[in-house]
Amino acid sequence: NGNNVGSNGLIEVIVYDPYNAGWSVSWNDGQSYTQSGNTTYEWYIDPPYVPIKISFTASITKAPSGYICWIQPSSVTNTYTAGSYQVFNVYCVYGVQVIVNDPYGATWQVNWTETSGGTIITSGSRTGSTTTQFIVNATQQPNVSFSFTAKIVQGIQNYICSITPTSTTASPGSTVTFTVSCTPTYIQVVVYDSSGAYWSISWWTTSGPVYISGSQNGTTSYAWNVTNVPQGDVIYFVGYAQCPPGYTGQGLIPGSQDALPGDTIYFFVDCYSTSTTQPSGSISVSVQDSYGAGWSITWSGGASGSKTGSSSTSWTISASSTVNFQASITSNPSGYTCTISPTSTSANPG
């Protein structure tokens, strides 16, 4: 662009199309216009003024039989002056377009054979670990067809991956699409313990195709993954916490919960120093939130009220009798789905 071919204020547009594919070019110079064709063609734009900023978009509307076609550029925005020109080129390949959708990064392999009259004439393969597309060239022979197979060569840690379809057929001019899917085979467990209490958590399968079990204990905050959990397994977690000398509290909250592959579950150790125990008639409330999720706590009974936030915090409420608490997540950080545990509990003053 910007090469002067004249001084009459016109802007030249050229589409080179040696394949006679159908194409369409649209542009906007203050108003919208479209030009279509199926051969090499040129025309002139008479803009309202120059220099002028114009945005073009171009696409293929029809490919010749057996061909995969595209036009370049498919979009372009430039500032044009009198005598400028914009060129579009149509490219076509006799063959099959292959698209692999892989948002997970698993390693896949696509294999193909080309046959004519039942005889294999070419074969090939392509391996990758990301979303990609490519064209398999076809030979100019009668009754050409392709057979494709696909498989996962290597999955990703803590996931089981598959690709669909695993086999398909195609003719020149068509597009085949493979999609990689990966499902988690782990459960993340997070324990918050700021008091140094001893805690222990055990787990086992309550339903599902494969039985697994295990346990973990500690005296500080800790997170780990329970791995190799097959889809369909429901894992039951149960635990307890012993408050250290000079501390009191409810222990491990919640005492038990179920989880599925891909879940993240949380346990909280409720132990506080008796030397700083709140006065009779008060209840201490704390929220551990290291993710910045939005949460809401409401309470009723011996006291009523509510509090919202998006970080770890603690507070004290005055109560005349048992207080019932309800907790919920109000917003999630980008890319996360969060839960709060427990969603309901009760506490007595003191």
Side-chain angles (χ1 to χ4, degrees):
N1 297 321
N3 295 306
N4 291 327
V5 297
S7 58
N8 55 359
L10 300 180
I11 299 168
E12 184 182 12
V13 183
I14 306 171
V15 177
Y16 290 110
D17 179 12
Y19 302 94
N20 295 325
W23 51 262
S24 176
V25 175
S26 299
W27 69 94
N28 190 306
D29 62 1
Q31 297 188 57
S32 297
Y33 302 91
T34 298
Q35 179 69 52
S36 300
N38 58 4
T39 187
T40 297
Y41 188 69
E42 64 177 327
W43 69 96
Y44 292 87
I45 297 173
D46 187 8
Y49 55 87
V50 288
I52 187 171
K53 185 177 183 180
I54 302 178
S55 296
F56 291 91
T57 59
S59 61
I60 296 295
T61 58
K62 185 179 181 180
S65 178
Y67 284 82
I68 301 296
C69 298
W70 65 97
I71 188 169
Q72 289 182 335
S74 58
S75 64
V76 61
T77 299
N78 271 320
T79 298
Y80 299 88
T81 60
S84 296
Y85 61 85
Q86 177 62 54
V87 176
F88 297 90
N89 290 285
V90 174
Y91 301 94
C92 293
V93 173
Y94 188 65
V96 176
Q97 179 175 247
V98 180
I99 300 173
V100 181
N101 294 314
D102 179 10
Y104 299 95
T107 302
W108 47 262
Q109 185 179 73
V110 175
N111 302 290
W112 62 87
T113 57
E114 181 188 18
T115 60
S116 175
T119 301
I120 297 177
I121 51 180
T122 64
S123 63
S125 68
R126 181 78 172 262
T127 302
S129 57
T130 186
T131 295
T132 189
Q133 61 180 8
F134 56 93
I135 294 176
V136 177
N137 292 341
T139 56
Q140 295 282 354
Q141 294 192 32
N143 302 319
V144 165
S145 64
F146 285 86
S147 296
F148 291 88
T149 60
K151 64 180 180 179
I152 295 296
V153 177
Q154 182 176 349
I156 53 179
Q157 186 176 9
N158 294 328
Y159 285 80
I160 184 169
C161 299
S162 62
I163 188 169
T164 55
T166 55
S167 63
T168 188
T169 59
S171 300
S174 60
T175 298
V176 295
T177 302
F178 297 95
T179 301
V180 175
S181 300
C182 296
T183 55
T185 59
Y186 70 93
I187 298 171
Q188 185 179 47
V189 186
V190 181
V191 177
Y192 289 105
D193 178 9
S194 59
S195 64
Y198 173 82
W199 52 264
S200 179
I201 296 173
S202 301
W203 60 88
W204 58 86
T205 303
T206 57
S207 66
V210 178
Y211 182 83
I212 64 172
S213 63
S215 63
Q216 181 71 50
N217 55 61
T219 57
T220 186
S221 296
Y222 187 64
W224 71 95
N225 289 334
V226 177
T227 58
N228 299 320
V229 183
Q231 291 297 310
D233 262 21
V234 178
I235 309 300
Y236 178 69
F237 292 81
V238 63
Y240 67 94
Q242 295 176 339
C243 294
Y247 284 76
T248 188
Q250 299 183 58
L252 195 67
I253 302 175
S256 63
Q257 54 186 310
D258 292 322
L260 301 171
D263 287 346
T264 299
I265 60 174
Y266 301 88
F267 290 93
F268 302 90
V269 176
D270 177 44
C271 293
Y272 54 88
S273 173
T274 55
S275 63
T276 58
T277 300
Q278 64 269 22
S280 178
S282 296
I283 297 174
S284 177
V285 184
S286 64
V287 176
Q288 301 292 331
D289 178 9
S290 59
Y291 296 91
W295 48 261
S296 173
I297 309 293
T298 61
W299 57 92
S300 60
S304 61
S306 64
K307 189 175 181 68
T308 60
S310 58
S311 62
S312 299
T313 189
S314 61
W315 68 95
T316 300
I317 61 175
S318 298
S320 59
S321 60
T322 300
V323 175
N324 301 310
F325 293 88
Q326 301 289 328
S328 62
I329 294 295
T330 58
S331 63
N332 292 296
S334 177
Y336 287 84
T337 299
C338 298
T339 60
I340 189 169
S341 180
T343 56
S344 63
T345 189
S346 60
N348 295 316

